[in-house]
Amino acid sequence: MAAVTLLQKWQLLQAIIADADLSQTSKLVAARLLYHHSAQTGRCCPSYQTLADGVALKRRAVINAVQELEAGSWIVINQVKGGAAAGPNRYATNTFQIDFSRGDRAGPTVHDGAPSTVHEDALLHDDNSAPLCTPPVHDGAPSTVHGDAPYSGKDTGKGNREESPPTPSDFDEWWRAYPRKVGKDAAQPVFIRITKARKATVAELIEGAKRYAAERAEQDPQFTKHPKTWLNGGHWADEAVPKPVSHANGRQPFSALGRLQENMYDDD
């Protein structure tokens, strides 16, 4: 495998950050995977726990983020088995194959017509010894950001002007419509996988969620399906459940069992 340059890692990271379909958690985990990627050998095989410790997240959140990156075709997960085939020390290790070709479209950032320089101490080192995206310091003076303003040491996430609120993603729109708000991180990669595979459109998923919400209105919420379960089961295609018809006085239609129960109470 050909060696990967630091510039290629940087360009891929910019392309991943610009992907509106990815969650912020997945982008953070992608940056950590690039940190563990060896530019010389192409190996990238940190454990889920190592990734979780590196970004201060729970292991399950990292697994969901990795699955989302795989669903978006940014990485491919392979399992390498080790140990004796029939021995007690049999084990499997995850290896992550990163698609660097998708970073070619990002290109280096250009300021005032001149290509920006890439500082090795600001990017990922081959030996993974440097922290990620640390602002470079030259001759004891803080580096400058856009507009020659000195780096303050605080990452506010804002430039010289207030940014407008981010536009809600398709998943966010569906999440607002779904009646039970549990397991968001687990549901998001399933939602992305369904839409990318064209099993359903975003509009179909949102309409299905609204229909299900109407059916579950005034029902016991503990029996409402979890979002991930609803998506995996393809329930957006379910037919609407007709509401029971009642008489004008609010009583249910005649049934033999209901009449028998009423007679029993009348005898008392």
Side-chain angles (χ1 to χ4, degrees), residues 192-210:
I192 294 173
R193 185 166 62 249
I194 290 171
T195 54
K196 284 187 177 293
R198 298 184 179 180
K199 293 182 179 179
T201 64
V202 173
E204 289 173 337
L205 293 174
I206 292 175
E207 287 303 315
K210 290 179 178 179

Side-chain angles (χ1 to χ4, degrees), residues 2-61:
V4 176
T5 66
L6 295 177
L7 179 58
Q8 285 176 296
K9 286 187 176 184
W10 176 256
Q11 290 174 332
L12 181 63
L13 182 57
Q14 302 315 300
I16 291 174
I17 291 173
D19 188 346
D21 292 332
L22 289 178
S23 66
Q24 297 300 321
T25 299
S26 295
K27 294 175 183 179
L28 179 61
V29 172
R32 196 65 185 178
L33 283 171
L34 287 172
Y35 177 90
H36 287 285
H37 179 271
S38 171
Q40 298 300 322
T41 66
R43 286 178 58 80
C44 182
C45 50
S47 67
Y48 287 126
Q49 190 59 54
T50 297
L51 291 172
D53 293 341
V55 293
L57 292 172
K58 292 185 178 180
R59 185 173 181 272
R60 171 50 56 185

Side-chain angles (χ1 to χ4, degrees), residues 42-147:
R43 286 178 58 80
C44 182
C45 50
S47 67
Y48 287 126
Q49 190 59 54
T50 297
L51 291 172
D53 293 341
V55 293
L57 292 172
K58 292 185 178 180
R59 185 173 181 272
R60 171 50 56 185
V62 169
I63 292 174
N64 292 336
V66 166
Q67 291 174 345
E68 183 179 345
L69 289 169
E70 185 179 34
S73 301
W74 291 103
I75 63 173
V76 175
I77 305 173
N78 298 313
Q79 270 200 346
V80 177
K81 296 183 178 180
N89 296 326
R90 188 68 170 168
Y91 64 90
T93 303
N94 287 325
T95 62
F96 304 95
Q97 181 180 342
I98 303 174
D99 185 4
F100 284 95
S101 64
R102 297 185 64 177
D104 295 340
R105 296 189 293 271
T109 306
V110 178
H111 305 286
D112 298 331
S116 63
T117 57
V118 179
H119 301 279
E120 290 190 0
D121 52 350
L123 293 179
L124 304 171
H125 280 230
D126 293 346
D127 59 358
N128 301 331
S129 60
L132 179 63
C133 297
T134 303
V137 178
H138 305 284
D139 299 329
S143 64
T144 58
V145 293
H146 303 294

